[in-house]
Amino acid sequence: MEFSNSNTQQYRYQRAKEQVDKIKGFYIHASIYAIFCLVFIWLNLQSSYFPWAIFPIAGWGLGVLGHASDTFEFNLFFGKDWEKRKIEEIMKKDV
């Protein structure tokens, strides 16, 4: 199936727009996280000496890291070319 140049441009535009929306969503998430970190710390200082704020900050921080990993296509365990290399490896074994 052959795509015309305008269809290709439209497809590329749509993919770029989706990526920009993902990045914008991540920045919103990270900003809200930063604000709430300050709120948790302030509440912790007002309420007790035990540093309980570490727990929601760390938990939510893991969520932010996961969101960043998805948004920027970074995977600590499976690098960018991992899937391609694995497919080639399995195909070589199957010969």
Side-chain angles (χ1 to χ4, degrees), residues 19 22 26 29 61-80:
Q19 184 63 26
K22 283 176 71 173
F26 169 72
H29 186 189
L62 289 174
V64 171
L65 286 176
H67 194 169
S69 173
D70 179 53
T71 300
F72 300 109
E73 297 174 357
F74 172 75
N75 193 325
L76 187 61
F77 302 107
F78 306 107
K80 286 187 174 192

Side-chain angles (χ1 to χ4, degrees), residues 75-91:
N75 193 325
L76 187 61
F77 302 107
F78 306 107
K80 286 187 174 192
D81 296 328
W82 177 85
E83 187 174 339
K84 179 182 173 186
R85 286 182 310 203
K86 200 62 175 173
I87 289 171
E88 289 173 1
E89 177 187 327
I90 292 170
M91 287 174 62

